[in-house]
Amino acid sequence: MELNSREKTLASAGVILGVFLAAIESTVVATAMPTATSALGGISLIHYVFAVYSLATVTTITMWGKLADMIGLRRTFWAGCLIFLAASALCGISQNIYQLIAFRFFQGIGAGAIFPVAMTTLSAIHSQAKRVKMQIYLSAVWAVASVIGPPIGAVLTQQFSWRWVFYLNIPFGALSLFLVQTGLRQYGDGQSAERRPFDAKGSALNALWIVLLLTGIAVNKKGRFLFGPAAATAFVSASALAAFIFFRHLSSAKYPFISPSMLRHPIFIKAGAGNLLICTAMFGAMAYVPLFSQAGLGETVIASGHTLTLCLLGWIITSAVATRIYLRISARTLARFGMGAMTLAFAVLALGHEGVTVNRLRACLFVVGAGMGLCFAPLLLEVQNAVPRRDLGSGTATLQLLRNLGGLMGVSLMGTILAMNWDRSGPTGAGLVSQFQAHEAMGKVFMAGSIFALAGLLSVWNLPVPKNKSLSGQ
């Protein structure tokens, strides 16, 4: 059943609020966790609080996307959001670090539903022109969450308790659920979902290769493999084997977890590869910019945060522009310009690393963010336009999975590059490094970013341009 304007507005506001909660969660929690883990007597385990959340989110994204295609958007969003809120409450009442880690895992499972189901909902209920505008709101949500998250986390922790960073999710999450329930009440699940058996074996194999990969590439604070090079090689090899078995299963299953025809679609292949590579480049490099700003350029912690904010600002501005002109300019053209700009900006920082100043770093990172904004939303819209309606949730979730994997692999790879070249740059002396050491090591990281961005550019260079941009099946 077609929704009226009021119902579309309520549903859109509900899922966008859900995205905001999940987006701000990481920044708010990051500020509060040192206090929380100290209070619970587990400061040495603080990284597990974040690791299990990320692991749960990444491994369940495609499962939630598949469920959205099978049982409907409203039910799937409700299920994921309820898990997220229940786990948030449990995190708030944790009595020891092990309880907190366990509850954060379940919170990550719920968060895995919010992102793909929200993006699928906005695509499913809106016309092409309106759908494009929704991407502007999503970009703004990410920006606002990134900016206000840390101060909110600090205020809640200092004025109340670290537990309130979790409790605060509950009233806003309840509002999100109410809006989605009201907006999508008349949205026919029978029309938007096709009753098919759930491919449990495919889901398990998909989760297995992801877990093995993320375990293998996990790094410690020093940027070295968490379990050592030999174990990392073994985990990655096992992941490759599990992935091979997974794809073999997809080709033979009657109701596969992910449609093989979707995975073979040229638009999905090229857009997916491009997203994986640019996320590896950007999020991998950005993870270590604050360290470089402080150790290499002498900036304060606050000033290094401003440097990252400029990158985010470039993303917001060009994302708004890209979504407005998407219907007139092909995603291929926007992706070429965006990834080309990222490649050049990283190359400037890499080739001139010895003379990098604060202003040059900020200017180049603004260009990197601007390049990301030009291609991020258009490539998502292009994939959503290309896949059949019955696979819309699965296609959106799989693209989101590639983005998340790219970011996690980038952090691991760039951290390893940084550690290897940092150590070779000379003696550290009481744990402090000279600016020369920081410039040398970070130059290699920026070069890796340029290479990955260039690979992304090549992957989308011949991205097919559809004759029309109306969503398949609508």
Side-chain angles (χ1 to χ4, degrees), residues 18-28 53 84 115 141-142 145-146:
V19 169
F20 177 75
L21 283 178
I24 201 174
E25 177 69 15
S26 58
T27 54
V28 170
Y53 181 89
F84 180 81
F115 295 113
V141 161
W142 279 102
S146 299

Side-chain angles (χ1 to χ4, degrees), residues 295-325:
L297 300 175
E299 286 192 298
T300 64
V301 174
I302 295 177
S304 64
H306 293 162
T307 300
L308 288 180
T309 301
L310 277 175
C311 179
L312 189 62
L313 180 62
W315 188 335
I316 298 170
I317 292 173
T318 56
S319 179
V321 172
T323 49
R324 289 183 180 277
I325 64 177

Side-chain angles (χ1 to χ4, degrees), residues 10 30 87 90 127 175 245 257 266 277 315 323 332 347 385 393 402 418 425 449:
L10 290 174
L90 291 171
S127 65
L175 176 59
I245 297 173
F257 182 65
L277 292 164
W315 188 335
T323 49
R332 180 174 67 188
N385 290 346
L402 292 173
L418 188 70
S425 296

Side-chain angles (χ1 to χ4, degrees), residues 114-283:
I114 294 174
F115 295 113
V117 177
M119 291 186 289
T120 303
T121 300
L122 295 176
S123 178
I125 68 176
H126 289 295
S127 65
Q128 174 68 0
K130 188 70 172 179
R131 190 183 312 140
V132 170
K133 292 181 180 179
M134 289 296 107
Q135 295 300 318
I136 300 177
Y137 300 143
L138 286 178
S139 298
V141 161
W142 279 102
V144 172
S146 299
V147 172
I148 71 173
I152 288 178
V155 170
L156 289 174
T157 302
Q158 294 172 7
Q159 300 300 321
F160 300 96
S161 165
W162 63 265
R163 300 180 187 275
W164 279 96
V165 302
F166 297 108
Y167 295 151
L168 194 64
N169 290 331
I170 298 173
F172 292 103
L175 176 59
S176 173
L177 288 173
F178 171 77
L179 293 172
V180 170
Q181 174 66 22
T182 304
L184 294 182
R185 182 185 293 116
Q186 302 301 322
Y187 191 72
D189 280 345
Q191 299 172 12
S192 62
E194 183 179 329
R195 306 299 177 183
R196 290 170 284 177
F198 183 75
D199 182 11
K201 181 179 180 181
S203 177
L205 287 171
N206 183 61
L208 177 61
W209 77 262
I210 294 172
V211 169
L212 290 171
L213 175 63
L214 296 182
T215 303
I217 66 174
V219 293
N220 57 26
K221 295 179 181 179
K222 297 180 179 180
R224 299 187 181 280
F225 288 116
L226 189 62
F227 300 104
T233 302
F235 277 118
V236 172
S237 299
S239 173
L241 177 60
F244 174 76
I245 297 173
F246 170 63
F247 288 113
R248 284 289 301 270
H249 167 76
L250 293 182
S251 63
S252 61
K254 184 176 180 180
Y255 298 102
F257 182 65
I258 300 175
S259 170
S261 61
M262 182 190 76
L263 295 177
R264 291 193 296 266
H265 198 292
I267 290 180
F268 183 86
I269 292 173
K270 294 179 183 297
N275 273 274
L276 175 72
L277 292 164
I278 60 173
C279 286
T280 301
M282 178 169 177
F283 296 118

Side-chain angles (χ1 to χ4, degrees), residues 429-464:
L432 299 176
V433 297
S434 68
Q435 290 188 349
F436 173 78
Q437 290 174 310
H439 280 254
E440 284 289 313
M442 201 63 189
K444 302 294 191 303
V445 170
F446 288 138
M447 180 56 69
S450 182
I451 292 171
F452 278 107
L454 177 60
L457 174 62
L458 295 176
S459 70
V460 300
W461 191 261
N462 291 319
L463 182 73

